[in-house]
Amino acid sequence: LATLVASIGGAENGTFALNSNWAAPGKGSAGGDLSTQLAFTDVALPALAALFETSIPVKVEQGRLSFQSGLTLSNGAVKPSTGDLKLDQLK
């Protein structure tokens, strides 16, 4: 249905992706399914320090974050998927 991919302040700071797919009635559930996935990939944590420095009293010198999750809307019910969070080279 739609895909959006963008860099976060430059490709070196990571990427953001939002992907939505529609399975027509009969190809998913009887009413059709809307599936959405959200992903942050290889995000440089020091570049985002202004977002968390005031609420989390830590100094992040280096590190990368990746996160992926999603949900499906099927027959009027929301079915979340499990999320995956990964931190690398955190200092």
Side-chain angles (χ1 to χ4, degrees), residues 19-33:
N19 185 11
S20 238
N21 292 306
W22 170 252
K27 295 190 179 194
S29 65
D33 295 338

Side-chain angles (χ1 to χ4, degrees), residues 32-52:
D33 295 338
L34 177 63
S35 177
T36 302
Q37 295 292 318
L38 170 70
F40 291 92
T41 306
D42 206 24
V43 176
L45 291 174
L48 300 177
L51 296 176
F52 58 82

Side-chain angles (χ1 to χ4, degrees), residues 6-74:
S7 65
I8 301 172
E12 68 279 359
N13 290 332
T15 58
F16 163 80
L18 180 64
N19 185 11
S20 238
N21 292 306
W22 170 252
K27 295 190 179 194
S29 65
D33 295 338
L34 177 63
S35 177
T36 302
Q37 295 292 318
L38 170 70
F40 291 92
T41 306
D42 206 24
V43 176
L45 291 174
L48 300 177
L51 296 176
F52 58 82
E53 278 180 337
T54 58
S55 60
I56 302 172
V58 296
K59 178 167 175 64
V60 176
E61 295 176 8
Q62 72 180 38
R64 312 253 345 142
L65 172 139
S66 293
F67 173 77
Q68 180 176 337
S69 190
L71 59 88
T72 299
L73 179 59
S74 179

